[in-house]
Amino acid sequence: MNATTNLFNKNPAIWNIILLILRIWFGYVMMKNGFVFFKIVSSAAERKVIEDWFGGQLHFPLPVFMACLAKGSEFFGGLFVALGLFTRVSALFVFITMLVATLVANTGIGWDVYGTITLSFALFALLFIYWGSGKYGLDSLIWRRKNIG
């Protein structure tokens, strides 16, 4: 632990590069998983599937709306995290979405595959909630310019 702390203290550029790589990967995966948001919005057949799953099996009220919130959080939250824009807030939305997915939809039978994946996504989101975007995100660029001017 001490060696790792010293490594990041002596060379924070390494940590910023690691954050950049993790943000881009995490954002890509979230966007890929959340892309179904656009199918829900544009396809009556997809909305029917969502009504059956979110409403019938998971018993969510307003199932299409809830699915749009979840998948929208994944897609747009992933996009913003990848860009490093509003990183902490975006990661918070993803964290909540992944925590609900883990606890509501992916416990029990699907735990071995889906539950561990959604829980991992939630934990990655916690990383970005705590650390933010790092030096190589748009947050850093925007706030640095604002402080200079």
Side-chain angles (χ1 to χ4, degrees):
M1 179 76 163
N2 194 12
T4 305
T5 304
N6 287 337
L7 173 69
F8 294 140
N9 287 338
K10 290 180 182 176
N11 194 350
I14 291 173
W15 181 239
N16 284 304
I17 291 169
I18 291 169
L19 274 175
L20 173 65
I21 293 166
L22 290 175
R23 270 193 311 110
I24 291 170
W25 176 250
F26 179 79
Y28 164 75
V29 172
M30 286 292 99
M31 288 173 63
K32 183 179 172 202
N33 290 338
F35 193 76
V36 74
F37 168 81
F38 298 103
K39 292 179 182 176
I40 296 168
V41 171
S42 64
S43 167
E46 191 69 32
R47 285 191 294 276
K48 176 66 174 135
V49 169
I50 292 299
E51 285 178 8
D52 293 343
W53 181 42
F54 266 57
Q57 292 180 3
L58 299 178
H59 308 293
F60 275 106
L62 304 169
V64 173
F65 177 72
M66 297 298 276
C68 283
L69 283 178
K71 293 302 179 180
S73 292
E74 287 178 29
F75 183 84
F76 294 106
L79 174 64
F80 286 134
V81 168
L83 294 172
L85 182 61
F86 308 117
T87 306
R88 287 186 166 104
V89 173
S90 301
L92 179 62
F93 279 106
V94 173
F95 172 76
I96 292 167
T97 302
M98 292 298 104
L99 189 61
V100 169
T102 300
L103 297 175
V104 174
N106 297 331
T107 55
I109 296 170
W111 171 252
D112 289 342
V113 177
Y114 300 110
T116 56
I117 291 171
T118 53
L119 183 58
S120 297
F121 289 152
L123 294 174
F124 267 102
L126 278 179
L127 174 93
F128 300 117
I129 291 168
Y130 182 77
W131 286 100
S133 68
K135 181 180 178 181
Y136 303 116
L138 291 177
D139 286 337
S140 177
L141 181 66
I142 290 168
W143 299 120
R144 187 174 347 143
R145 280 193 179 161
K146 186 175 181 181
N147 292 335
I148 291 172

